[in-house]
Amino acid sequence: MTDLPRRVSLREVGPRDGLQNEDPVPTGAKIELINALSQTGVSRIEAVSFVRPDAIPQMADADQVWRGIERTAAIRYSALAPNLRGARRALDSGFTEVEVVVSASDTHNRRNVNRGTEESLDDIAVILSEAHGRGATCQVVVATAWGCPYEGDVPVSRVLAVAGRALADGADSISFGDTTGMATPRRVTELVGEFRSAYPDVPLNLHFHNTRGTGLANVLAALELGVDDFDASVGGLGGCPYAPGATGNIATEELVHMVEDMGVATGVDLEAMIGAAAEAERIIGRQLPSQVLRAGPRTRTIPL
Ligand code: ZN
């Protein structure tokens, strides 16, 4: 464990990836949730996505949410966009950090944004140059990096080729998204190892879903390879759009709970994050999957 990073950077994606996969909630509740998260010590929050409101009504109020939150200087806020139109909306709204997503699986990309992976990559080249021209940074998220609900396994070589094209076009960093929770530690080691060999200096974020219970094991495999940047969602908010009832993102408080005990700092106050998870549960009105939310931290004792 001595080789693990001493510190990791967490991006809280509950307000975006989480709420996007839940029944729509009022704008005020979204603002409350982001404001609660801003008090937890987390240093990055993916606040909204700029997507077609008819396709994803959960994010139709992205502008109002962004205008309504109490921004904290210590926090980097970002927005996700699936295409050029969305990225322009994000930049017009004043975001200086944008995540743009493309699927390694051509079928998934077509189902998602009605165009092939190559066409999305052409779009992304334009987004990158516009974002940079306006002083913003842009991370390219390669979705279905560990598998696709339509195509099954996606070859590592394919994922690397998509990331490589984005980097050649100027991506500031890469994220690999396990969109439907198909990653296992062995597969994490394989993809991250190959990526690191090819691009040793490119900042890498990993976005795991706990759909099949391997989320934190995947984080540990990545930590052992030196990855120090992860997405997580408060309470495990969000589901899997391809498997009704399945869990979605790994829960932020579970990630914090595990890695802090291993000597890996997150900057997050665990009790505050558990409080934000309870708030998320109230907003959604259903029990969230986080086990640390249910049980509390391992050091919580019962009064005699
Ligand atoms: Zn996700």
Side-chain angles (χ1 to χ4, degrees), residues 164-199:
R165 162 84 197 272
L167 287 166
D169 289 332
D172 294 286
S173 58
I174 294 291
S175 172
F176 289 138
D178 185 20
T179 313
T180 56
M182 290 169 70
T184 61
R186 174 174 79 83
R187 294 168 187 277
V188 170
T189 302
E190 189 183 9
L191 176 58
V192 172
E194 298 249 356
F195 180 79
R196 272 282 159 259
S197 303
Y199 308 101

Side-chain angles (χ1 to χ4, degrees), residues 13 16-18 21 177-180 207-209 231 239 248-249:
V13 299
R16 200 286 301 168
D17 201 2
N21 289 296
D178 185 20
T179 313
T180 56
H207 176 107
F208 291 122
H209 282 212
D231 283 356
N249 299 278

Side-chain angles (χ1 to χ4, degrees), residues 210-264:
N210 197 38
T211 323
R212 293 175 177 81
T214 55
L216 286 187
N218 293 335
V219 169
L220 182 53
L223 282 173
E224 285 170 346
L225 293 174
V227 176
D228 60 0
D229 183 342
F230 298 94
D231 283 356
S233 171
V234 62
L237 195 61
C240 177
Y242 307 97
T247 49
N249 299 278
I250 55 173
T252 313
E253 62 279 11
E254 293 189 343
L255 174 55
V256 170
H257 181 259
M258 182 182 84
V259 303
E260 291 269 355
D261 187 56
M262 302 173 80
V264 179

Side-chain angles (χ1 to χ4, degrees), residues 7 24 30 76 90 117 129 138 211 223 227 239 242 276 278:
R7 183 172 190 88
K30 295 177 185 178
R76 286 161 52 193
T117 301
S129 93
C138 189
T211 323
L223 282 173
V227 176
Y242 307 97

Side-chain angles (χ1 to χ4, degrees), residues 121 129 142 154 178 209 223 236 243 275 279 282:
L121 284 165
S129 93
V142 183
V154 174
D178 185 20
H209 282 212
L223 282 173
E279 175 82 24
R282 274 194 298 275

